[in-house]
Amino acid sequence: MQRIPSLLRRLLPTLLLAAAAAAPGLARAAYPEQPIKMVVAYAAGGGTDIIARVMAPYIGKYLGPGASIVVINRPGAGGGIGFAEVANAPPDGYTIGFINTPNVLTIPIERKAPFTWQSFDLLGNVIDDPGNFSVHADSPVKNLAELVAYAKANPGAVSYGTTGIGSDDHLAAMMFERAAGVKLTHVPFKGAAEVHNAIASKQIYMASMNIGEALQYQKGGTPLRHLGQMSASRTNLAPGVPTFSEQGYRIVMASLRGIAAPKGLPPAVREQLVNAVQKAAADPEFQAKAAGYFAPLRYLPPAKYEAELREAEMGFRQMWKEMPWGENK
């Protein structure tokens, strides 16, 4: 009888080591064991914030029973603050966030940044929202030709709001200035909700914002007139709004809004998150709710999402050489 305790004593160190080695695997198998933080790099009430809050419960649903996702806003620096928070978080699956183009691509081009798009594990793209110019319905301007005429007659009087320097809204306006030979006055904000408030109160003359966001604010009661959408052809969201190309300006610009995590997720956790995002994006109930907010869905799996980011980055690097943007541009 004395041999059993002696044997256990000899085996105890081995058993403890085996248990310690198994513990990380057991933790991964139980993922998620705590709430997941979803970072939105823009202010509450904007297009990214709204789709994040609509989608978060569905991602949680497909992660499994008890999974919860908490949306937090980290606005500022054109999205740079929020993107950096996601990129620099522990790669354990408990911090994810939306990354927006072009900002996630243009910020590291224009200045030193603590991230590039390669700093993330891509989980899937969700939104593809074309750019657009909107004025208050009281404005006499009804199309791009009239906007150009007004801007030429009143140099610098056309102020326009965007979600920040280097955003798709800002770059599109710069391209328009160059193509039309006009000078506009840029007023950057921390998010689309602030741009909306400024155009609603006539603090700015024009809002450069995505068409889905503009339609949502219009539905909410803000009297807006949309001058043109920056898609290759008219979208189903706004079939009555002509494209820039139709009006003589070959400007195509949109914002991809996808979900990412810090680089280096455990493979099993990454697979769970990718699958949950894909299933959430395909959920009919989620799609119906997104349509109610004029959110133009376009799911891309990680590999295709990566290919689009890589190609877009090359284009923006070329644009930086030809037409650099920045505080004084």
Side-chain angles (χ1 to χ4, degrees):
M1 297 295 293
Q2 296 300 316
R3 294 176 59 192
I4 295 176
S6 176
L7 179 62
L8 285 175
R9 281 196 298 272
R10 290 199 301 273
L11 290 176
L12 188 58
T14 303
L15 292 172
L16 289 173
L17 286 173
L26 291 173
R28 285 196 295 269
Y31 173 84
E33 294 181 307
Q34 63 193 51
I36 297 167
K37 181 170 66 176
M38 175 182 276
V39 177
V40 171
Y42 300 94
T48 306
D49 177 69
I50 288 171
I51 203 67
R53 294 180 189 278
V54 171
M55 193 176 194
Y58 293 92
I59 298 175
K61 169 185 173 181
Y62 291 110
L63 280 174
S68 66
I69 297 177
V70 180
V71 177
I72 63 167
N73 300 89
R74 293 286 188 263
I81 292 174
F83 302 153
E85 181 166 329
V86 176
N88 296 317
D92 55 10
Y94 290 103
T95 299
I96 62 176
F98 271 83
I99 57 173
N100 301 52
T101 65
N103 305 54
V104 74
L105 305 175
T106 57
I107 289 172
I109 293 173
E110 71 183 55
R111 61 183 186 266
K112 186 177 180 180
F115 64 86
T116 67
W117 69 267
Q118 292 98 335
S119 303
F120 303 95
D121 271 345
L122 304 177
L123 305 178
N125 187 66
V126 180
I127 299 289
D128 187 350
D129 199 354
N132 157 76
F133 284 172
S134 293
V135 294
H136 196 280
D138 289 345
S139 168
V141 171
K142 294 180 174 61
N143 52 49
L144 294 182
E146 292 183 4
L147 176 66
V148 171
Y150 183 86
K152 287 184 175 179
N154 303 275
V158 177
S159 57
Y160 69 96
T162 74
T163 54
I165 294 168
S167 65
D168 55 322
D169 318 313
H170 180 214
L171 299 186
M174 288 182 63
M175 293 166 70
F176 181 74
E177 284 181 297
R178 190 182 198 185
V182 296
K183 178 61 179 174
L184 311 177
T185 300
H186 182 211
V187 184
F189 292 92
K190 293 181 180 179
E194 292 185 6
V195 178
H196 162 244
N197 292 336
I199 190 70
S201 58
K202 302 182 185 178
Q203 296 175 44
I204 54 175
Y205 192 87
M206 184 177 76
S208 180
M209 64 169 61
N210 300 105
I211 188 66
E213 293 172 327
L215 291 169
Q216 173 195 325
Y217 295 135
Q218 185 179 40
K219 181 183 178 181
T222 304
L224 295 176
R225 179 183 301 123
H226 315 304
L227 305 183
Q229 55 184 315
M230 302 171 201
S231 46
S233 58
R234 297 192 189 195
T235 62
N236 292 334
L237 286 177
V241 179
T243 66
F244 272 55
S245 296
E246 287 178 68
Q247 299 179 73
Y249 298 96
R250 299 190 59 166
I251 298 173
V252 176
M253 182 70 74
S255 175
L256 291 181
R257 299 173 198 151
I259 302 177
K263 193 77 172 179
L265 289 178
V269 170
R270 183 178 182 276
E271 183 179 2
Q272 279 182 263
L273 284 167
V274 169
N275 289 340
V277 170
Q278 181 179 16
K279 289 176 180 177
D283 189 295
E285 188 177 276
F286 162 71
Q287 293 180 350
K289 288 183 179 180
Y293 290 103
F294 299 96
L297 300 176
R298 183 184 172 221
Y299 173 75
L300 293 172
K304 290 186 177 180
Y305 188 18
E306 177 182 343
E308 292 224 7
L309 291 180
R310 192 177 303 278
E311 182 178 359
E313 182 189 38
M314 292 173 60
F316 287 122
R317 287 195 178 280
Q318 184 60 37
M319 183 178 178
W320 176 256
K321 293 178 182 178
E322 299 174 1
M323 191 172 60
W325 58 87
E327 291 286 352
N328 300 314
K329 301 298 180 182

